[in-house]
Each structure stands twice: as C-alpha cells, then as structure tokens.
C-alpha cells in the first residue's frame, strides 16, 4: 500500500474539514503543511508489509538527517542506527537494549517511547527521542506505524566519518546540502526555510 498524499482519499483538504478548534472553528492552517514544516521528524511505515517499510517521511526528517525521501522510502528506519549510508551494521554505541525494546513493542503492537543514538547521513551523531504509535485498521490489525522523532545534538566526538569528508563533497553546490547545513539546530527546534 502506498501513502499517496495527492490522492483523493485521505487528502489534506478532506482531513482539514475534520479538524475543529474547541470553539468549533476550523484550524487556521492545513494539516499537510503542518506535517511538512513540523519541528520534528515524522515517518509512516506500512505494517502490512515485511519489515515496516517507510511510506511517508516529512521534510523535517529529511533536513535534519540529510537523507532524502527518495533514498529511504521502502526501507526500514533502522538505517539511522548506522553511521552513514555505507555502514553495514548498527553502530556499537547504539543501545541494543533500546533497540530490543522497540522490536518487542512492534511485535506486541503497543506504543514505544525512548531515546537512542542515531546518525545523520554525514555520520554525525544525533540523539533521537522516538515515539512509535501503531495504527489499527477496522479489523483490529495494525496497518501502519507512525514514528515521531525529536532530534537533538549528541555531545559525542566520534571524529570524521572515514573516507566521507572529501574535497568533492565540500565543493558540492547541491541546494539540499546547504539547506541541511543551515538546519543545524538548537534542541527540539529545526530551522526550516532558512529562517
Ligand atoms: C515508523 C517507524 C519509525 C522508526 N523510526 C526510527 C528512528 O527514527 N530511529 C531508529 O533508530 N529506529 C527507528 N525505528 C525502529 C527500527 O526501524 C527498527 O524497528 C528497530 O531497529 C528494531 O528492529 P531491528 O532490531 O530489526 O533493527 C522506527 C520504526 C518504525 C516502525
């Protein structure tokens, strides 16, 4: 199943009509734009497919982690536990007890909340306060899992990622890279749109 934000079903316009303030008035912004500019990562995984592939990721997640949506759609989110895109396995400093607890919660279909070490695409460490919420369908099966990530800087000096900081990458004029650099953030807040 594909999460299609442009489709009629579940479209932003349709959803917006469902959101009302306590005084009965509609929200003064679209739910879609709220997600895109939210000051946290927001990921949706398909729970009906093996290994919880990502079907939606918001811009905040892309900006902070440095991974673009097209690189990560269809993959499991555990790649953030590896130091950079070429690492073959989870970094040794990632707490395996927390990872086991995530696995246990996903197997039981219950909510998870905890902190674990993650890495940006450039290999720099991030602390992730992660919340996972299973979404149940009509027949009581879990159809999706929503992940919300509150990223903060991790005060760890791991040194440069071996072989990654090249003159070539420094010369890159890629706009996304510069957006990423400008999104180095203060705890619990992203700077989106260059402000
Ligand atoms: C929707 C969703 C979002 C997730 N987000 C993250 C994340 O931001 N960082 C992370 O380290 N793991 C995240 N996970 C957890 C991993 O994808 C994986 O479930 C976990 O590492 C346990 O499985 P494993 O032991 O097979 O790796 C997420 C899982 C789901 C379903």
């Amino acid at each position: 199943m594909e999460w299609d934000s442009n489709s009629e079903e579940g479209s932003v316009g349709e959803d917006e009509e469902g959101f009302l303030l306590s005084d009965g008035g509609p929200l003064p912004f679209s739910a879609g734009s709220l997600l895109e500019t939210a000051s946290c990562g927001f990921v949706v995984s398909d729970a009906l497919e093996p290994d919880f592939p990502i079907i939606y990721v918001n811009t905040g997640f892309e900006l902070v982690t440095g991974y673009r949506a097209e690189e990560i759609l269809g993959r499991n989110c555990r790649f953030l536990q590896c130091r950079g895109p070429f690492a073959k396995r989870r970094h040794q400093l990632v707490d395996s007890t927390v990872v086991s607890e995530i696995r246990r919660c996903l197997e039981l279909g219950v909510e998870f909340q905890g902190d674990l070490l993650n890495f940006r695409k450039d290999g720099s460490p991030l602390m992730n306060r992660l919340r996972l919420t299973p979404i149940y369908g009509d027949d009581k099966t879990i159809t999706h899992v929503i992940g919300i990530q509150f990223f903060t800087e991790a005060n760890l000096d791991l040194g440069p990622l071996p072989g990654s900081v090249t003159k070539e990458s420094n010369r890159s004029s890629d706009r996304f890279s510069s957006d990423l650099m400008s999104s180095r953030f203060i705890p619990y807040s992203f700077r989106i749109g260059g402000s």
Side-chain angles (χ1 to χ4, degrees):
M1 183 176 163
E2 190 83 10
W3 182 287
D4 181 359
S5 56
N6 294 320
S7 73
E8 278 289 312
E9 195 184 328
S11 71
V12 167
E14 199 174 85
D15 284 351
E16 277 167 72
E17 288 166 24
F19 286 105
L20 295 175
L21 297 174
S22 52
D23 66 1
L27 283 176
F29 46 79
S30 87
S33 67
L34 175 68
L35 276 185
E36 280 310 312
T37 58
S39 60
C40 57
F42 183 91
V43 168
V44 181
S45 285
D46 188 343
L48 298 175
E49 292 292 327
D51 211 26
F52 300 95
I54 298 169
I55 57 168
Y56 172 81
V57 57
N58 77 339
T59 308
F61 184 101
E62 291 182 282
L63 285 173
V64 174
T65 65
Y67 289 98
R68 290 172 185 254
E70 58 262 36
E71 295 176 280
I72 57 180
L73 289 174
R75 295 174 62 188
N76 182 284
C77 222
R78 72 172 70 79
F79 66 85
L80 286 178
Q81 298 160 17
C82 302
R83 192 167 180 224
F86 304 113
K88 292 275 185 290
R89 56 176 66 94
R90 186 195 310 144
H91 193 275
Q92 61 203 15
L93 292 179
V94 177
D95 190 337
S96 58
T97 315
V98 177
V99 176
S100 301
E101 178 62 8
I102 296 177
R103 209 166 39 238
R104 194 185 71 85
C105 290
L106 288 173
E107 279 163 13
L108 292 176
V110 297
E111 202 157 275
F112 164 85
Q113 189 162 337
D115 300 291
L116 80 168
L117 186 65
N118 279 177
F119 297 90
R120 293 188 183 87
K121 189 177 179 182
D122 69 6
S124 55
L126 282 169
M127 276 316 291
N128 181 356
R129 175 154 294 174
L130 177 64
R131 184 177 196 133
L132 299 178
T133 305
I135 305 297
Y136 283 81
D138 290 341
D139 58 357
K140 309 256 189 302
T141 52
I142 298 173
T143 58
H144 299 87
V145 179
I146 289 178
I148 297 179
Q149 292 91 1
F150 289 94
F151 293 112
T152 53
E153 293 293 347
N155 290 323
L156 279 175
D157 186 5
L158 299 175
L161 190 61
S164 71
V165 186
T166 61
K167 284 178 192 157
E168 201 51 49
S169 63
N170 285 341
R171 252 186 265 128
S172 169
S173 59
D174 184 272
R175 174 133 198 284
F176 190 75
S177 301
S178 73
D179 282 352
L180 173 62
M181 295 315 286
S182 67
S183 79
R184 297 279 177 181
F185 52 90
I186 52 172
Y188 300 108
S189 160
F190 301 165
R191 286 187 280 152
I192 290 183
S195 59

